[in-house]
């Protein structure tokens, strides 16, 4: 997943570093007093966001979904070798780096399907949780890197500014990141 | 050589006032006496249509560069008619095919009328080749005779000794030869021969062979001229905000926000809605988006589709208008050993041609000029002349290629042409107006294939013979209130509502068909194959059900009902042979047959489907067609392939539905045409025939849905009767 | 002012960066071979190339491709071996009917063949999914892409 955040990271490098430093400080401080129960409770909030159509629609095995009704993407587009589609059907064929008010196509930097290892469709709450913290499947991310990613990545942030005709993630982004931090601080607890 | 219009006056089609308060145009003029399409075509293939003008000066331009340009009286929307007519001309002219060109004729019905709809200049009803085949050959033959005459005079040799081959006129004995371009100026001044001799079919060099389409090059290089590509000096692009429910009208509007959009020039009210005029398309789109309009919906359609279906169902139980009474259907049904009772529901369908409706209109003091994919030039001329207060001869129409039509561009009330005229009038003709519909306007804009509900009660005796057939059809009439009403509606029965049922080729001795005319403000229109688009599905799936009820093979059952009809039988038998009808299929696969006669043409299709859970895929279609002489077999093949691709989406998913009167679909996302991955393998077999050519643009549509439905039944044992076909 | 590099030429125009490329091409540069079909990236009639990739010009904003570095190619400027093979196959097989979608189909086919010189039917179906032909010329589109691939081999 490292490749995914690179373009953004280059642009916002100073800010990103600062966030990371702050995160480490606060995480260490928080870890001491955050319980597993707190972590588990925070996970429930986190998971409610991850399973929102804005996130789940592109964490799919092979074909993205679209819309609040989570229909199969029209026109049909498949993952292809790099998660960017095939032939004349790539993500960049239609999606810009920002929402297009005329065609209503949603847009964000490096718009593409999440890697196949990060498919969230059809996972139970526990499976989703285990997947998210498994470095083999989450793009070799430490829990802290997950927080950084979800706090800063342009494509993730798009979920909160999804444009007309689709619901943005209802929980405020800051609140989501706070829950995520608690989940991490309490040891990334997963439901049974 | 110039086109001559001498001694020929323009037609004045106006017969009565038609402009209503809502500016919906109806009853403009009456075309023809009551002769249903099928009968027209039948009559034509028996005796041929009335003779048309054969003066080459009217139809051909022969250039100094030896090109022969056909002035096509027919609109080209992809059906290949310009290539087809040019083939007929070139055959008799002995022209060099590579020198053939095509342009559209001006709107002059006296010269360019459709002989099947005389005296009007219109393209439609799959009549073009049927009505022009003889005429175009005569034009070619006359031109050939005149070129030979000019050469004979020039070389001072007997005309009988002159031959013409691939665009070269030759006198063998003297060794002299000339190309068309050199002889044309003299030739076209000669009198048009009173009588021309046409070649025997055995001598044909081009007809029945594959000649490359005339429009392939321009359409593969971005150079083809569609109305959307017209640019006139100072032209404004107009988009119209129309009522969200059919039958609504604008009460007032607030254009303040729209006028703030950069590029928006003006906002005007017209009877159809509120028009935003802008310097470019994007500005017009954005201007219209922020326009505020208050609508009066008191007379608008406010029902939902479910309620309309319920009403249709109720109507089907009452007494309708007698569309057919043959024998005693009720008594026959009563004495049947086994019966079936089936209801079918068909949704509204949009045509959704790739090029959305649009046209450019320029007003001048002495007339108006239109650039449009004009399919019914007589109608468009009339609509413009009425709205603008000009005489028909003051209206000039530049017909352009149409980016698809499927019936939509042939609107008898000329809806979008009336809109552009109203807009041009509202701005006093200050600038040329390019009216552009967006895809949403197209999907939501009405003029749909009407909804229909059929109920059939039919039975077979113990020997498997059909004893009686009682048939109720509920739908909204397409022709009533249009200029074509007189030609299609008799005592309340619109032939297009029941075509394909009342004229079925199957021998059903005791048959009764009742029609119920539904009312709704939702405007309806012919959609590729018109009534056949629903009636064929009913007839051909019931036929399969009856065959199975009688314990007979569906193919054999049909053949048994077509005794004495060799052309129909030949089509079915070839379909059986080519599809491997008797070969067993593996589990999860099904094969189904459908046969239908429409527009004078016989088409059988055998569909093969695979079924997995509730999903199905159409794998293969074997089609057999008898359309008389196939003037260009490759174009015939293309039309059948295309009909399958076009109609498949209405089998798979397409429907226009209303929610409290508001169309629920928007664009190609929720009214999605067939995609390439859904396209089955298609094999087309054309019956070799010496009969007069009949329709080919539409007859490929009707058999597709029933063939697929019958294949699904064969695979699953489940009968799905409502379209689109969903296995749930 | 926005600079667009179209068919090898830098074109300057005074438009909003939010304007869809389609309307810049059609209404400003008069390159009308690129068609409007749906305006929502659903049909592919507006397909052009940006650095060889097929994109829907109705959906890609001028700002996304401005600056002169990104090479925009429309049907009018389609050239090279692959383009010639595709257009030739289209003509040989008389793929077109109404023709309105075919600029987009051809531009998509060129991209497809540039990435995959020997596509299977499935590769064609998935790679050409975004281009609708309402006339239903798909049987011949498949044939033409195979034929173009063969002629390039």
């Amino acid at each position: 997943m490292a490749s995914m955040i690179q373009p953004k990271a280059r642009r916002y490098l100073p800010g990103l570093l600062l966030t990371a430093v702050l995160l480490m400080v606060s995480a260490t401080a928080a870890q001491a007093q955050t319980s597993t129960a707190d972590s588990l409770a925070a996970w429930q909030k986190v998971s409610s966001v991850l399973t929102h159509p804005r996130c789940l629609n592109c964490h799919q095995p092979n074909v993205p979904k679209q819309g609040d009704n989570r229909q199969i993407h029209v026109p049909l587009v498949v993952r292809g070798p790099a998660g960017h589609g095939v032939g004349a059907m790539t993500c960049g064929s239609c999606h810009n780096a920002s929402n297009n008010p005329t065609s209503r196509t949603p847009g964000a930097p490096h718009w593409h399907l999440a890697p196949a290892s990060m498919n969230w469709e059809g996972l139970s709450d526990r499976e989703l949780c285990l997947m998210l913290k498994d470095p083999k499947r989450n793009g070799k991310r430490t829990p802290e890197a997950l927080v950084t990613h979800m706090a800063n990545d342009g494509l993730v942030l798009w979920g909160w500014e999804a444009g007309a005709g689709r619901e943005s993630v209802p929980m405020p982004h800051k609140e989501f990141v706070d829950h995520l931090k608690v989940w991490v601080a309490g040891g990334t607890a997963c439901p049974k | 050589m110039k086109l001559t219009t001498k001694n020929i006056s323009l037609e004045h089609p106006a017969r009565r006032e038609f402009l209503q308060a809502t500016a919906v145009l109806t009853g403009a003029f009456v075309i023809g006496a009551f002769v249903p399409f099928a009968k027209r075509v039948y009559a034509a293939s028996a005796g041929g249509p009335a003779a048309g003008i054969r003066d080459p000066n009217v139809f051909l331009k022969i250039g100094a560069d030896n090109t022969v340009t056909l002035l096509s009286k027919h609109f080209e929307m992809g059906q290949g008619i310009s290539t087809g007519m040019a083939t007929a001309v070139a055959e008799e002219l002995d022209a060099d095919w590579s020198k053939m060109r095509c342009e559209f004729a001006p709107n002059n019905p006296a010269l360019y009328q459709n002989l099947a709809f005389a005296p009007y200049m219109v393209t439609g009803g799959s009549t073009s080749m049927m009505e022009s085949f003889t005429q175009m050959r005569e034009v070619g033959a006359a031109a050939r005779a005149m070129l030979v005459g000019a050469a004979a005079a020039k070389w001072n040799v007997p005309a009988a000794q002159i031959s013409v081959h691939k665009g070269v006129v030759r006198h063998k004995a003297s060794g002299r030869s000339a190309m068309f371009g050199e002889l044309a100026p003299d030739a076209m001044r000669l009198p048009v021969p009173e009588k021309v001799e046409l070649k025997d079919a055995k001598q044909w060099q081009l007809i029945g062979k594959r000649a490359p389409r005339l429009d392939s090059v321009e359409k593969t290089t971005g150079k083809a001229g569609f109305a959307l590509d017209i640019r006139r000096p100072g032209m404004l692009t107009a988009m119209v905000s129309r009522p969200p429910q059919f039958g609504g009208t604008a009460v007032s509007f607030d254009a303040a926000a729209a006028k703030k959009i950069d590029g928006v020039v003006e906002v005007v009210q017209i009877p159809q809605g509120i028009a935003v005029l802008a310097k470019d398309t994007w500005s017009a789109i954005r201007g219209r988006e922020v326009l505020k309009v208050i609508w009066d919906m008191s007379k608008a359609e406010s029902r939902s589709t479910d309620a309309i279906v319920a009403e249709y169902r109720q109507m089907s139980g009452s007494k309708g208008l007698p569309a057919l009474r043959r024998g005693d259907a009720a008594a026959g049904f009563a004495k049947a050993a086994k019966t079936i009772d089936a209801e079918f529901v068909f949704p509204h369908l949009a045509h959704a041609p790739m090029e959305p409706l649009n046209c450019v209109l320029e007003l001048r003091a002495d007339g108006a000029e239109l650039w449009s994919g004009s399919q019914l030039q007589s109608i468009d001329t009339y609509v413009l002349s009425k709205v603008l207060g000009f005489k028909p001869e003051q209206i000039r129409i530049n017909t352009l290629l149409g980016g698809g039509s499927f019936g939509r561009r042939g609107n008898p009330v000329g809806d979008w042409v009336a809109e552009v005229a109203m807009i041009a009038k509202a701005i006093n003709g200050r600038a040329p107006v390019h009216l552009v519909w967006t895809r949403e306007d197209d999907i939501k804009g009405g003029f749909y294939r009407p909804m229909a509900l059929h109920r059939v009660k039919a039975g077979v005796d113990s020997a498997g013979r059909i004893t009686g057939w009682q048939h109720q059809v509920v739908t909204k009439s397409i022709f009533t209130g249009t200029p074509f009403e007189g030609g299609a509606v008799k005592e309340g029965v619109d032939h297009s509502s029941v075509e394909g049922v009342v004229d079925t080729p199957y021998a059903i001795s005791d048959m009764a068909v009742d029609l119920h005319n539904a009312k709704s403000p939702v405007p309806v229109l012919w959609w590729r194959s018109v009534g056949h688009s629903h009636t064929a599905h009913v007839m051909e799936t019931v036929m399969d059900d009856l065959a199975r009820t009688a314990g007979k093979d569906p193919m054999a059952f049909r053949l048994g009902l077509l005794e004495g009809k060799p052309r129909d039988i030949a089509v079915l038998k070839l379909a059986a042979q080519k599809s491997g009808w008797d070969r067993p299929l593996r589990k999860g696969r099904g094969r189904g047959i459908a046969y239908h006669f429409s527009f004078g043409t016989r088409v059988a299709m055998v569909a093969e489907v695979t079924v997995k859970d509730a999903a199905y895929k159409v794998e293969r279609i074997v089609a057999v067609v008898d359309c008389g002489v196939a003037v260009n077999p490759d174009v015939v093949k293309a039309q059948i392939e295309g009909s399958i691709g076009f109609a498949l989406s209405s089998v798979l998913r397409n429907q226009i539905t209303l929610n409290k009167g508001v169309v629920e679909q928007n664009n190609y996302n929720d009214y999605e045409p067939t995609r390439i991955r859904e396209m089955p393998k298609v094999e087309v077999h054309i019956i070799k025939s010496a009969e007069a050519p009949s329709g080919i643009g539409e007859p490929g549509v009707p058999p597709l849905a029933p063939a697929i439905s019958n294949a699904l039944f064969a695979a699953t044992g489940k009968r799905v009767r409502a379209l689109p076909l969903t296995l749930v | 002012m926005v600079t667009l590099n179209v068919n090898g030429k830098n074109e300057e125009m005074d438009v909003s960066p939010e304007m869809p490329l389609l309307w810049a091409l059609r209404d400003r540069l008069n390159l009308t071979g690129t068609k409007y079909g749906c305006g929502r990236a659903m049909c592919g009639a507006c397909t052009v190339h940006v650095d060889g990739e097929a994109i829907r010009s109705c959906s890609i904003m001028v700002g996304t491709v401005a600056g002169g570095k990104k090479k925009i190619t429309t049907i009018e400027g389609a050239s090279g071996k692959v383009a010639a093979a595709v257009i030739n196959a289209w003509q040989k097989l008389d793929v077109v009917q109404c023709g309105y979608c075919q600029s987009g189909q051809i531009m998509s086919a060129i991209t497809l063949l540039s990435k995959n010189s020997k596509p299977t039917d499935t590769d064609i179906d998935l790679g050409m999914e975004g281009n609708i032909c309402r006339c239903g010329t798909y049987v011949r589109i498949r044939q033409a892409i195979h034929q173009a691939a063969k002629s390039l081999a």
Side-chain angles (χ1 to χ4, degrees), chain B residues 304-452:
Chain B
S304 296
T305 296
D306 288 351
I308 300 174
V309 171
E311 186 196 291
Y312 280 24
R313 186 167 292 133
Q314 198 173 19
M315 287 173 81
S316 75
S318 66
K319 200 172 144 50
L321 296 165
L324 177 75
R325 292 285 181 268
R326 187 160 63 217
D328 192 337
F333 183 72
K335 71 178 182 219
K338 288 177 185 162
T339 62
I340 60 162
D341 183 344
E343 184 193 89
F344 297 79
V345 181
F346 299 89
H348 283 124
L349 290 173
H351 306 72
M354 293 301 295
E355 182 193 16
L357 295 176
N358 75 97
C359 58
V360 178
L361 183 67
E362 204 166 296
L363 292 196
R364 290 188 276 269
D366 60 346
E369 187 165 358
L370 179 79
W371 288 261
S372 179
S374 187
Q375 186 171 344
L376 311 178
Q377 290 92 341
S378 280
I379 300 276
D380 292 347
T381 304
Y382 180 73
V383 166
L384 290 174
S385 69
K386 272 297 174 188
V387 174
L388 302 171
F390 287 122
K391 292 179 183 147
E393 58 266 36
Q394 292 175 290
I395 306 295
R396 183 170 164 191
I397 296 180
N398 304 286
T399 299
L400 296 155
L401 291 168
S405 171
F406 319 111
R408 185 62 182 91
R409 293 192 143 78
N411 190 337
V413 299
D415 61 327
W416 81 103
V417 177
E419 279 183 357
V420 79
M422 290 290 182
I423 298 165
K425 206 169 139 176
I427 63 161
N428 292 316
R430 215 166 48 243
V433 177
H434 193 174
L435 170 71
V436 177
W437 285 40
T438 60
R439 177 59 52 202
E440 285 82 1
D441 295 338
D442 172 61
I443 298 294
K444 293 181 177 294
F447 295 100
Y448 303 128
R449 193 285 301 276
M451 283 176 69

Side-chain angles (χ1 to χ4, degrees), chain B residues 252-335:
Chain B
S252 62
F253 66 99
D254 175 0
K259 284 185 172 165
K260 281 199 194 109
I261 301 279
D262 197 27
V264 171
V265 174
E266 198 162 351
V267 179
V268 294
Q269 182 156 9
I270 58 170
Q272 295 90 339
I274 311 299
V276 175
L277 293 115
K279 285 181 180 158
D280 60 70
T281 321
W282 190 50
S283 306
I285 291 172
R286 287 181 306 150
R288 187 178 64 166
E289 244 166 34
V290 295
L291 183 69
K292 292 187 188 76
V293 188
I294 302 206
W295 303 102
D296 173 8
M297 300 290 195
S298 58
K299 294 195 181 88
E301 176 64 86
S302 59
R303 292 173 298 171
S304 296
T305 296
D306 288 351
I308 300 174
V309 171
E311 186 196 291
Y312 280 24
R313 186 167 292 133
Q314 198 173 19
M315 287 173 81
S316 75
S318 66
K319 200 172 144 50
L321 296 165
L324 177 75
R325 292 285 181 268
R326 187 160 63 217
D328 192 337
F333 183 72
K335 71 178 182 219

Side-chain angles (χ1 to χ4, degrees), chain A residues 15-37:
Chain A
L16 202 65
L17 285 174
L18 186 65
T19 315
V21 170
L22 288 176
L23 256 163
M24 277 187 270
V25 172
S26 63
T28 335
Q31 207 142 28
Q33 59 219 206
T34 310
S35 70
T36 305

Side-chain angles (χ1 to χ4, degrees), chain B residues 132-192:
Chain B
S132 69
F133 183 57
T134 302
Q135 184 186 24
M136 289 301 115
R137 283 184 299 151
E138 288 183 354
V139 167
R144 184 189 189 279
M146 290 153 76
L147 287 163
V148 167
K154 195 171 176 184
W155 301 332
N156 198 20
V157 300
Q161 290 176 6
I162 292 175
S163 66
V164 185
H165 183 67
K166 283 199 177 165
V168 183
V169 184
R170 200 172 257 120
H171 182 247
K172 204 176 170 191
S174 65
R176 270 186 280 213
S177 71
M179 309 281 275
F180 285 176
E182 184 188 331
L183 298 167
D186 290 336
M188 294 304 138
R189 274 188 217 105
L190 295 176
V192 179

Side-chain angles (χ1 to χ4, degrees), chain B residues 216 228-229 281 674 677, chain C residues 26-27 35 94 97 129 138:
Chain B
S216 263
L228 203 73
D229 308 332
T281 321
T674 307
R677 90 190 116 85
Chain C
R26 288 186 54 88
D27 289 357
K35 302 302 187 200
D94 273 342
Q97 288 189 26
E129 161 82 11
Y138 297 126

